[in-house]
Each structure stands twice: as C-alpha cells, then as structure tokens.
Amino acid sequence: MLRFFLNKIALIIPTLIGITICAFGFVRLLPGDPILALAGEHGVSAERYEVLKHQFGFDQPIWQQYFGYIGGILHGDFGTSIETHRPVIIEFLTLFPATVELSLCAILFAIILGVRSAFSPPPGAAPSSIRA
C-alpha cells in the first residue's frame, strides 16, 4: 500500500511540471505584446516600454522567465494582477468560494439526476409486470 502511494506521488511531480510548462507556454503564445496591452489606448513611450519590459521580466530569456515563474509559485508568489494591481492569490481567494458553491451545486444536480435515471425504466420499455 505504501508503494502504491509513493508511485502516485512520484507521478504528481511530472504532471505538475507539464501543467506549468503548458500554462506558461500558452500565456506566451497569446498574440500581441502584453506591455502594449497594459498600456491601453494611450500607448507608451519607448523609455517607459523598456522599464516595463524589465519590470515584468520580458527582457530575460524564456527559460529564465519560466524558472522565475516556478520559483515564485513555490514561494507562494503568484504575481500581481495587471488589471487590479492586487496580488493574484487575493483575487483567487476572493472568487474561490463562488467556484466551490457552483461545483457543489453541479455535483448535487448530477447525483439527483443519476439516481433518478438509475431507478426509472428506459423510455419505451414495457412495464415490469409484462416483461418475461
């Protein structure tokens, strides 16, 4: 039994590495420049662009950006929201209770429908008194 749990835990590590690589890669594959998106309609001067590029780490090679991202996650620093300028973990914790509530309602709904369909005959089936 201990070996089973150790095998499962050993599988978690490559899975988490794969998830972080996918998440990091997908964000980097989005079209457009994130700094120009942050600047909005008014744009940004060349000097300010370079400052923001350095501030957000976009002047570093992609592998350094990834390891900085992983290091931040391991230390509990999920970054700062570009939209609200608040820590992402605060934004997450604010909205997480609604996600849990929605999930529990969906599970309850699925259980009710599943139990009902398990005990009801299929449509068009003959009543149980007629079946052979």
Side-chain angles (χ1 to χ4, degrees), residues 24-125:
F24 184 82
F26 288 147
V27 168
R28 295 299 184 255
L29 288 175
L30 289 174
D33 188 348
I35 296 173
L36 294 178
L38 174 66
E41 297 175 4
H42 305 293
V44 65
S45 68
E47 298 84 25
R48 181 71 178 147
Y49 180 84
E50 291 301 321
V51 168
L52 289 173
K53 190 174 174 181
H54 179 72
Q55 179 182 348
F56 290 110
F58 290 117
D59 58 344
Q60 299 174 347
I62 195 81
W63 63 270
Q64 283 183 339
Q65 293 178 32
Y66 175 73
F67 285 115
Y69 167 70
I70 295 299
I73 288 175
L74 291 176
H75 287 100
D77 178 16
F78 293 93
T80 304
S81 171
I82 292 176
E83 188 173 328
T84 62
H85 304 290
R86 293 174 51 193
V88 171
I89 193 71
I90 300 297
E91 298 286 326
F92 174 79
L93 293 175
T94 302
L95 299 172
F96 188 67
T99 303
V100 170
E101 181 181 355
L102 180 63
S103 300
L104 292 176
C105 288
I107 290 169
L108 180 65
F109 186 69
I111 289 172
I112 291 170
L113 284 180
V115 168
R116 184 189 181 286
S117 65
F119 288 108
S120 64

